[in-house]
Amino acid sequence: MNLAILGAGAWGTALAINLSARHQVTLWTKEAGHLSELMTNRANLSFFPDFPLSDAIYLTASLAEALENTDLVLIVVPVAGFGDILRSIAKINVKAPVIWGCKGFEPKAAKLPHQVVADVFSDNELTCGVISGPSFAEEVARGLPTALTLASENDDFSREMANQLHSKNLRIYTSRDMIGVETGGAIKNVITIAAGISDGMGYGHNARAALITRGLMEITRLGLALGGKMETFMGLAGVGDLLLTCTGDLSRNRRVGLLLAAGKSIGDILNELGHVAEGVHTAQAVLQLSRKLNVNMPITEAVCSILHDGMPARAAVETLLNREPKTEICL
C-alpha cells in the first residue's frame, strides 16, 4: 500500500519508520529546511537522531507530490494545523481515504477533528477515521509492542485499514466511536499535566492514582455529553492512553506539569521542550466545552487556572484538595 504521512514530527516519523517495513511510505514536511535536514542525515535529528530513515521512505515538502497515487493519507500534524491540511487536500482533489492521529480540540472553536473534517468535506465526500491509543512515538519507532484503536463510521474501511496497518508489534483494534476516541485522546493530555504537577510536588503515588481515576471521570463525563460511548473510555483510547501519559517519562505533557511544579513559567517550559505539548492548548477548549455543556471538571479548571490565569501550582492543588466531599461515581 502507498501511504502518505503528513507531518514529520515525532509521531509522523515514528509511523514512517514502523510502517515502511511493510508499505511504501512518503513522509511530508512543510518546512524546506526540515526536508533538507531529513534528506542530508536520513534521520530526524529534532526527534529521533538515533533512528535512521530507510531508503524506502520517500521525503518531500511538496504536498501534491506526497499525495500523488497514494492509497491512504495519514495526517499527524498538531491539531491546530489540521484544518489547513484538510483544505489543501480538498484543493488538490485527492480521493484517497484519510486517517488522522491528531489529539486535541481545534483551538478557536473547540471542535474535535471529525467536526473540522465535516466543515471541509460533505458527509459522503471523504472516507475517514481516527487512530489513537497509548503510544509513545519513540517506542513505536523502536518497534516495541503497541496497541491502538482505529475508529470510523465505515466498518468495512476500518476493518480493511486495521488489517493493512496491523503487524506483530503494532496491534490495531477497530471501533465506530470516533467521538469517544477523539475525546479520550484530547483530554488525557490535560489530566496528564495535573499528574505531572502532583509528581513534581512530591505528593506520591496515592495522589497520582487519585488524579488518574478522577481525571478519567472528567474525560468520561464530557465524552458522554459529546456523544461518545462508555466502553471507549474504558479501553485503549481512554484509560489506556491516560495511564501511559500520566506515568511515562516520555510524556511531554507530564513534563510540562513537572516543570510547572518547579515554578517555571509556561512560556519558558514550552521553549525548553521544543516540541508541541497538546494539553497546554487543549485545556482552555476543554474548559469552554465543559461550561457550555454544564459538565463538572475541577481538575481541568485547576490546570487552566495555572496555565492561563497565573495561579501558582501549589495553590491550585490546594483548591482541589479542599473541595467538599462528594459521591464518587457521579456522571
Side-chain angles (χ1 to χ4, degrees):
M1 185 165 63
N2 291 325
L3 302 180
I5 298 179
L6 307 185
W11 190 215
T13 304
L15 285 173
I17 292 170
N18 188 293
L19 294 172
S20 63
R22 305 179 299 284
H23 302 284
Q24 179 60 53
V25 171
T26 296
L27 180 62
W28 172 84
T29 175
K30 69 176 182 179
E31 301 291 343
H34 191 207
L35 175 64
S36 178
E37 172 196 308
L38 294 172
M39 296 183 72
T40 300
N41 300 283
R42 294 306 300 184
N44 195 333
L45 301 183
S46 301
F47 299 98
F48 300 128
D50 299 326
F51 295 88
L53 299 174
S54 74
D55 292 337
I57 300 173
Y58 184 77
L59 303 167
T60 184
S62 166
L63 187 60
E65 184 180 28
L67 297 175
E68 187 176 1
N69 298 321
T70 189
D71 298 312
L72 176 68
V73 181
L74 290 174
I75 302 178
V76 284
V77 300
V79 71
F82 185 57
D84 290 338
I85 288 291
L86 289 174
R87 284 183 282 274
S88 296
I89 291 173
K91 288 179 181 178
I92 297 173
N93 197 28
V94 177
K95 299 301 183 183
V98 171
I99 293 174
W100 55 89
C102 316
K103 293 182 178 180
F105 288 85
E106 188 275 329
K108 292 182 180 179
K111 291 182 177 181
L112 287 166
H114 80 274
Q115 295 173 308
V116 180
V117 170
D119 288 343
V120 178
F121 295 90
S122 67
D123 291 341
N124 299 320
E125 195 175 349
L126 184 70
T127 302
C128 62
V130 55
I131 195 164
S132 188
S135 50
F136 284 144
E138 181 178 322
E139 295 190 359
V140 171
R142 291 170 61 191
L144 296 179
T146 301
L148 301 172
T149 298
L150 172 58
S152 174
E153 294 181 355
N154 186 322
D155 293 335
D156 291 338
F157 170 68
S158 60
R159 283 193 294 266
E160 179 187 355
M161 290 301 103
N163 287 332
Q164 290 281 357
L165 301 177
H166 184 94
S167 70
K168 66 177 182 178
N169 289 327
L170 189 63
R171 185 170 182 82
I172 310 294
Y173 291 84
T174 61
S175 168
R176 298 195 85 244
D177 184 14
M178 295 178 69
I179 294 174
V181 169
E182 289 181 327
T183 305
I187 307 176
K188 61 92 183 179
N189 287 326
V190 181
I191 305 303
T192 297
I193 293 174
I197 291 170
S198 177
D199 286 348
M201 290 185 168
Y203 286 153
H205 295 88
N206 296 348
R208 183 205 288 169
L211 273 170
I212 292 172
T213 307
R214 298 309 301 170
L216 179 61
M217 190 65 66
E218 292 195 13
I219 293 170
T220 304
R221 282 195 203 109
L222 187 59
L224 292 176
L226 290 170
K229 307 299 181 186
M230 173 67 79
E231 55 268 27
T232 302
F233 305 113
M234 300 301 111
L236 290 168
V239 65
D241 209 358
L242 179 65
L243 282 171
L244 178 72
T245 52
C246 283
T247 62
D249 290 334
L250 294 175
S251 168
R252 293 191 296 272
N253 291 285
R254 182 171 182 271
R255 180 68 177 160
V256 168
L258 290 169
L259 293 173
L260 285 169
K264 292 194 174 185
S265 71
I266 190 60
D268 288 343
I269 291 170
L270 294 180
N271 287 333
E272 179 177 329
L273 284 177
H275 306 313
V276 174
E278 291 284 12
V280 174
H281 306 293
T282 298
Q284 199 69 36
V286 173
L287 184 60
Q288 175 185 331
L289 269 176
S290 71
R291 289 173 173 170
K292 179 180 178 180
L293 297 172
N294 196 29
V295 174
N296 186 34
M297 301 185 72
I299 298 173
T300 299
E301 289 184 8
V303 171
C304 283
S305 70
I306 297 167
L307 293 176
H308 304 292
D309 299 333
M311 179 178 284
R314 187 171 297 277
V317 172
E318 289 175 354
T319 298
L320 272 178
L321 293 174
N322 289 329
R323 296 174 69 241
E324 64 182 31
K326 294 180 178 292
T327 302
E328 182 184 12
I329 305 299
C330 183
L331 291 175

